[in-house]
Amino acid sequence: MTATLPVYRWRLAPDGYATRRQLRALGLRPGGQDVAAELQRPRRRRGPLVAYLYRIDQAKPVRPMTPARRTALDAAMRARRTCPNCRRDAGYCIPRSLGMCVTCTDTSS
């Protein structure tokens, strides 16, 4: 037997439920709980937009940023900003569609 999720229309979810983004704004995270409900926003020519809701009372606090996590995050962002072609920090995240910084893209065209 499969349990179906309650489905609510856009902006009509009852109190006590929140999306991941709303939980984050409250300083919370889902904390391993399953999705409690669905929020659907109808669209004209496509399927509805779906957002998953979690129970606020079962959410856990966001884990604090440790020095090791900060270092790892800084390294990951540095890698996204470094052009694989010229090896310079572009100052922005390199677009995946280009695969290199805008300067290298302009000179290779």
Side-chain angles (χ1 to χ4, degrees), residues 47-77:
L49 287 174
V50 175
Y52 297 112
L53 299 174
Y54 299 91
R55 292 184 45 170
I56 294 174
D57 60 345
Q58 292 180 356
K60 296 179 180 175
V62 174
R63 294 183 184 124
M65 183 66 72
T66 63
R69 287 178 70 196
R70 172 71 63 197
T71 303
L73 184 61
D74 290 343
M77 292 306 294

Side-chain angles (χ1 to χ4, degrees), residues 62-101:
V62 174
R63 294 183 184 124
M65 183 66 72
T66 63
R69 287 178 70 196
R70 172 71 63 197
T71 303
L73 184 61
D74 290 343
M77 292 306 294
R78 193 177 324 105
R80 289 184 67 192
R81 289 191 316 262
T82 303
C83 176
N85 212 21
C86 64
R87 296 283 182 213
R88 285 187 285 182
D89 187 338
Y92 54 87
C93 288
I94 306 292
R96 291 178 63 190
S97 59
L98 299 177
M100 60 182 87
C101 66

Side-chain angles (χ1 to χ4, degrees), residues 12-70:
L12 297 178
D15 292 337
Y17 291 101
T19 62
R20 281 183 180 268
R21 189 172 287 189
Q22 291 169 336
L23 286 176
R24 188 62 150 186
L26 296 171
L28 300 170
R29 61 185 169 94
Q33 66 173 300
D34 291 331
V35 174
E38 258 185 30
L39 192 64
Q40 290 188 355
R41 179 178 179 206
R43 297 190 291 181
R44 289 185 182 206
R45 292 185 178 92
R46 292 181 278 179
L49 287 174
V50 175
Y52 297 112
L53 299 174
Y54 299 91
R55 292 184 45 170
I56 294 174
D57 60 345
Q58 292 180 356
K60 296 179 180 175
V62 174
R63 294 183 184 124
M65 183 66 72
T66 63
R69 287 178 70 196
R70 172 71 63 197

